[in-house]
Amino acid sequence: AQKVTQAQTEISVVEKEDVTLDCVYETRDTTYYLFWYKQPPSGELVFLIRRNSFDEQNEISGRYSWNFQKSTSSFNFTITASQVVDSAVYFCALSSEEGSTLGRLYFGRGTQLTVWP
Amino acid sequence: EAGVTQFPSHSVIEKGQTVTLRCDPISGHDNLYWYRRVMGKEIKFLLHFVKESKQDESGMPNNRFLAERTGGTYSTLKVQPAELEDSGVYFCASSQGPIQPQHFGDGTRLSIL
């Protein structure tokens, strides 16, 4: 069975601090994908990144970076020099390329990030 | 390019009534998904269309929920009769392929009184 755990329910930081959002996943499949989505106060889910299970290279996009480690089944997300506009709920998700559930996303419960000015 | 559009944005109905949610995917996206988030819990999968066919409907809670995608374009999700536990935010998403990133709509907030 697929499962995603985001242990941090809420995080508060002050602007310009770095913050890391944790994501731990469970799957028995060898081919799978990991995602991060952002849900700002306006409500829509915004796609941030997708990684496949064969690519463990870290990725950096501006102030965002992602650390994928298969050894610990983790896909953590770091925001450097946080800004007030980063305040949102962040969801980690998993999908498998195998079986009848192809395409289905399994979400964690989300982490509410609040960045104070 | 227009994103995924959902209508209505909010719906408040009484228990026992019927409600129909609509989703217009991104043009050209064959894959369409419905998800639901009950307050405080994770976003949960409901079903997956490929064009007009139901690829996976194992997440549908019960037979009070009916989803359609006639002609492989927009989709509707009907709840009949609505129960209190159906309250939540219903998201629709679409993608070009089943392993491509899914693009979500703004969601429909459904409140059952």
Side-chain angles (χ1 to χ4, degrees):
Chain A
Q2 328 286 1
K3 184 178 179 181
V4 175
T5 302
Q6 293 180 257
Q8 302 151 312
T9 305
E10 296 181 22
I11 299 177
S12 288
V13 298
V14 177
E15 227 176 1
K16 298 184 183 178
E17 287 185 4
D18 298 347
V19 58
T20 296
L21 310 181
D22 297 334
C23 173
V24 174
Y25 63 92
E26 296 176 31
T27 180
R28 294 179 183 173
D29 298 335
T30 55
T31 305
Y32 54 89
Y33 296 84
L34 296 163
F35 302 79
W36 276 95
Y37 283 86
K38 173 182 179 179
Q39 186 183 36
S42 49
E44 76 277 20
L45 282 163
V46 178
F47 165 76
L48 296 178
I49 189 172
R50 180 190 74 159
R51 303 295 282 172
N52 74 55
S53 53
F54 298 108
D55 184 0
E56 285 193 72
Q57 279 193 337
N58 291 336
E59 181 153 343
I60 298 174
S61 176
R63 295 183 297 106
Y64 295 172
S65 62
W66 291 270
N67 183 288
F68 175 28
Q69 292 196 345
K70 289 179 76 170
S71 61
T72 55
S73 297
S74 65
F75 186 45
N76 296 337
F77 173 29
T78 297
I79 302 174
T80 303
S82 60
Q83 300 176 0
V84 172
V85 294
D86 296 328
S87 297
V89 181
Y90 290 86
F91 292 95
C92 181
L94 165 73
S95 74
S96 172
E97 200 177 71
E98 303 170 20
S100 61
T101 62
L102 176 65
R104 172 197 286 206
L105 286 175
Y106 296 83
F107 284 89
R109 290 200 175 194
T111 297
Q112 169 70 60
L113 173 66
T114 302
V115 182
W116 297 99
Chain B
E1 172 182 83
V4 176
T5 305
Q6 291 187 245
F7 181 83
S9 56
H10 292 86
S11 182
V12 181
I13 63 171
E14 292 187 350
K15 175 183 172 181
Q17 291 186 321
T18 297
V19 62
T20 300
L21 313 181
R22 173 171 170 144
C23 169
D24 287 77
I26 293 173
S27 178
H29 282 192
D30 287 341
N31 292 265
L32 187 149
Y33 306 81
W34 285 97
Y35 294 87
R36 175 175 76 173
R37 189 183 192 202
V38 173
M39 184 176 290
K41 299 197 173 182
E42 67 269 26
I43 301 169
K44 281 198 169 180
F45 169 85
L46 296 177
L47 88 159
H48 171 200
F49 283 101
V50 177
K51 297 185 179 178
E52 66 274 10
S53 299
K54 292 176 184 174
Q55 179 75 16
D56 178 3
E57 56 181 327
S58 60
M60 295 287 262
N62 51 61
N63 59 11
R64 295 185 293 103
F65 289 74
L66 175 64
E68 295 181 325
R69 192 182 182 195
T70 307
T73 54
Y74 70 90
S75 174
T76 58
L77 178 64
K78 182 163 70 173
V79 185
Q80 179 182 30
E83 298 290 343
L84 297 178
E85 65 265 25
D86 300 333
S87 295
V89 181
Y90 289 76
F91 289 102
C92 175
S94 72
S95 67
Q96 290 184 319
I99 61 172
Q100 298 301 313
Q102 294 176 26
H103 298 272
F104 283 76
D106 291 352
T108 294
R109 184 173 297 278
L110 178 62
S111 298
I112 314 299
L113 305 180

